[in-house]
Amino acid sequence: MPNDAHAALDRLMVALLEGDPEAALAETSQLLAAGVSREHIVVAGLETAMTRLDEKCTVEGFNLLEIMLVGRAVSKVVGVLYPEGVSRGEGRATFVIATPEGDIHDLGKNIVKTVLIGKGFRVVDLGQDCPIPHLIEAVEREGAVAALVSGLISSVVPQVRKIKPALAARGLGHVKVVAGGAALKQASAESLDVDYVAETAFDGAHYLEQMVQELP
Ligand code: B12
């Protein structure tokens, strides 16, 4: 990689961490023009920026506005790198994410999605108010290794408990289920019948990275 591309990658990271989408897009265009692959831009630029953000966003130093601004800049760069979305077989692994039926909160879900895309995963977003059967169908169709659910209102808990049995009934018992969001993180993984309950987007991403590394 030429030296000016190294410098552009550094500038991309600074622009992302400052939540400056215009500067981030300008550096991305320069990197692509210099022949740097989009995978390298994701791993060396976006993923590194997400790791820095992760280190800054400890429980004491959590800053929602900062996360959202960085997330917005990362999303814009991902949109330029993958205008058609990350296709099957291209990311490190595929996850399906949704907010269950009856719940329209999606800010947390969108952050989780951005963090995971920034780490080079393919994330199929089914949006909010998503019936569990749609989630199961998408897991099967997209070849996902995990189903991610974000729940902010307590009434979605019974739906979350149905995911594992529904996956098993379709022969997808190996697919992990990860839950997060204000309503779900008050419950234990056992009581929700999921594999993991994440405290934050980054906590969930750590679990998923580890899980993907251990896949056969
Ligand atoms: C913003 C907000 C709204 C916005 C939502 C905008 C949007 N597009 O999302 C609006 C105004 C629309 C809204 C509506 C309602 N809301 Co509201 N809302 C909130 C509020 C204030 C913040 C939620 C939020 O976005 N937080 C910021 C995000 C970034 O945090 P987060 O979701 O927790 O996500 C983080 C982590 O949890 C994690 N994460 C989240 N999901 C996942 C998933 C996975 C897989 C992983 C790994 C990690 C992960 O990642 C994020 C970053 O770390 C909460 C209060 C609260 N304390 O949560 C109430 C709250 C969730 N709302 C509540 C209610 C009751 C409602 C309404 C029913 C109000 C009404 N009477 O109409 C409606 C819901 C309608 C519906 N059918 O869904 C209640 C729910 C109570 C309950 N336990 O059931 C809360 C808790 C407020 C309260 N204290 O009463 N709401």
Side-chain angles (χ1 to χ4, degrees), residues 25-48:
L25 288 176
E27 298 305 340
T28 305
S29 305
Q30 203 175 321
L31 284 161
L32 289 171
V36 178
S37 74
R38 52 189 188 174
E39 287 74 15
H40 191 71
I41 298 175
V42 168
V43 174
L46 274 54
E47 190 176 337
T48 314

Side-chain angles (χ1 to χ4, degrees), residues 98 100 103 148-161 163 178-189 191-192 194 196-198:
D103 190 344
L148 318 181
V149 276
S150 178
L152 277 283
I153 53 175
S154 320
S155 56
V156 302
V157 168
Q159 294 184 61
V160 174
R161 293 195 179 116
I163 299 175
V178 178
L184 302 182
K185 69 186 179 193
Q186 288 172 21
S188 66
S191 72
L192 292 174
V194 299
Y196 191 69
V197 178

